[in-house]
Amino acid sequence: MAPTAQAAEPAAKEQRGGAGGKPAVRCHPALAEGKASIRSVVGELLASAAAGGSLISLGIGDASAHACFRRGGEFAADAVADAARSGAFDCYAPSHGFPAARRAVAEYLSSGARHGTRNSDVFMTVGGTGAITAIVTVLGGASGANILLPRPGFAPYESACELIGAEPRYYDLLPSRGWEADLAQVRALADGATAAIVVINPNNPCGAVYSAQHLLQIAETARDLRIPIIADEVYAHMVFDGSKFIPIASFAHIAPVITIGSLSKRYMLPGWRLGWLAFCDPNGALKQVRTATEMLLNVTAGPASIVQAAVPKILSNEHKEFHQNVISSLESAADALYRRVNQIEALQCSSKPQGSMFMMVEINTSVLYGVADDIDFARELIKEECVLVLPGSVIGLKNWVRIFFGAPVSLIMEACDRIESFCRRRTLKESH
């Protein structure tokens, strides 16, 4: 739509210059829009929290904030302390990562896998988000490119697309089918400019863990569309309730797979910012993409040297007790949240989480006064009850909220009590 004369005038003035005729300093247009991000929305909600209240944060995916999830995880701190004390890792790391770190990740990914990962297949990045930025830049940089993203999804993929000028196209995850991908829609969305499809498994934000059959269907769809799969497996192995994690790279003989992983979630180390990209390409379709990735990482910063140096010790041991404690704690919290949320009249969760740390909850806004949508719900909830949840609109699903369950069960139950109190106060009474 063409701008009105009034709207066009300030825009023209900015092109000419600011106040006093000074030239305007311009920035990247995608950053000038002021579009909402998870962090900006969370920041605004926290600013609205009830003064003096005891905040319960179920909006940000950081279980490391709770000591019960860190129990038995001292091995990671010991490994990085040894690296720091040695003095051998005060240097710059190679652009693609220290060889020992790349080898450790390759061995970790190859364990029990159908397709092995070579050391040279692995590239160390600044957290999982750094891996997202890198691979979206490499694959989506061509003029007119588009990338298929899940909805609901993880907002940094959309941001990365917009920064490089790629078009994000959204395929739906279906709550009635356990949040499986709508693959008929995927086929309808794709065209000759489609560069890749992103698949998040175990899923953030829905908590789904995809079966081998569904992963096979995804791989066959990608093959037919002649596109690679970006497999976001940051929550790899964080599954429960009888589910089994299957790496999408198990199907790389059907379609090439680029896996994103990190230490952040499974090892409770989000602040260490250690992630990776791993190529699984038995048919050799990604040679140019690998070369471009190498070139990009040659001109961008990598993760801290001492953190990379700790990777072999962190990944080479199974640390069974530590991981079992994390999974047991998450399963108990997920069970409690699912059961309790479905006792609240205005809320519904149709699919119990099987992995990750998140659950999507639908809001029946028609029974709540003063709550027009999910943004209102989250804003009024934190104002009145000091509970933080993430509005679903931020991740592509209006009138839903994402609730984080990486917290002690007692805290989850208290949060649910507060949410129920809020909903009861806001419930519209039937007229008699």
Side-chain angles (χ1 to χ4, degrees), residues 122-209:
V122 175
F123 301 90
M124 310 306 294
T125 62
V126 183
T129 303
I132 291 171
T133 302
I135 199 58
V136 169
T137 299
V138 168
L139 288 172
S143 177
N146 65 78
I147 295 180
L148 305 181
L149 306 181
R151 180 174 57 199
F154 187 50
Y157 283 101
E158 179 182 17
S159 300
C161 286
E162 291 174 345
L163 282 172
I164 62 162
E167 177 193 357
R169 293 186 180 177
Y170 301 96
Y171 66 91
D172 292 326
L173 304 183
L174 305 173
S176 62
R177 287 176 22 195
W179 299 106
E180 287 188 345
D182 185 340
L183 296 179
Q185 186 185 33
V186 167
R187 291 178 184 272
L189 287 168
D191 58 23
T194 302
I197 180 172
V198 172
V199 179
I200 305 174
N201 181 55
N203 187 267
N204 169 13
C206 303
V209 178

Side-chain angles (χ1 to χ4, degrees), residues 196-350:
I197 180 172
V198 172
V199 179
I200 305 174
N201 181 55
N203 187 267
N204 169 13
C206 303
V209 178
Y210 294 144
S211 67
Q213 177 62 27
H214 190 54
L215 293 175
L216 173 62
Q217 292 170 342
I218 291 172
E220 290 174 339
T221 301
R223 175 201 61 200
D224 294 347
L225 298 174
R226 301 174 66 87
I227 56 175
I229 300 168
I230 300 174
D232 186 325
E233 296 179 353
V234 166
Y235 289 92
H237 305 288
M238 300 184 73
V239 300
F240 36 83
D241 201 27
S243 298
K244 181 181 180 182
F245 167 67
I246 300 170
I248 306 180
S250 302
F251 303 94
H253 56 288
I254 298 174
V257 175
I258 304 160
T259 298
I260 294 173
S262 78
L263 296 182
S264 299
K265 307 303 181 181
R266 191 180 186 208
Y267 290 90
M268 297 291 144
L269 300 169
W272 288 26
R273 294 299 189 191
L274 191 290
W276 57 79
L277 286 169
F279 287 72
C280 193
D281 181 31
N283 297 323
L286 299 177
K287 290 180 180 178
Q288 290 186 350
V289 177
R290 285 175 57 98
T291 300
T293 301
E294 292 171 354
M295 294 178 67
L296 176 64
L297 295 181
N298 280 337
V299 296
T300 53
S305 294
I306 58 170
V307 176
Q308 289 194 52
V311 169
K313 287 186 179 179
I314 294 172
L315 295 184
S316 63
N317 187 298
E318 292 186 358
H319 309 296
K320 283 186 178 180
E321 290 186 7
F322 170 74
H323 291 305
Q324 286 173 353
N325 172 66
V326 168
I327 295 303
S328 175
S329 299
L330 287 174
E331 183 168 19
S332 296
D335 287 346
L337 179 62
Y338 178 75
R339 182 176 63 253
R340 192 70 182 82
V341 159
N342 281 322
Q343 294 172 350
I344 300 173
E345 183 179 353
L347 305 180
Q348 180 181 0
C349 178
S350 57

Side-chain angles (χ1 to χ4, degrees), residues 91-111:
C91 57
Y92 289 120
S95 298
H96 307 153
F98 279 120
R102 300 175 76 186
R103 180 170 60 251
V105 172
E107 291 173 354
Y108 174 74
L109 295 176
S110 297
S111 178

Side-chain angles (χ1 to χ4, degrees), residues 38-58:
I38 290 177
R39 290 184 180 181
S40 67
V41 169
V42 166
E44 290 173 8
L45 289 172
L46 289 173
S48 303
S54 174
L55 178 69
I56 300 178
S57 177
L58 302 181

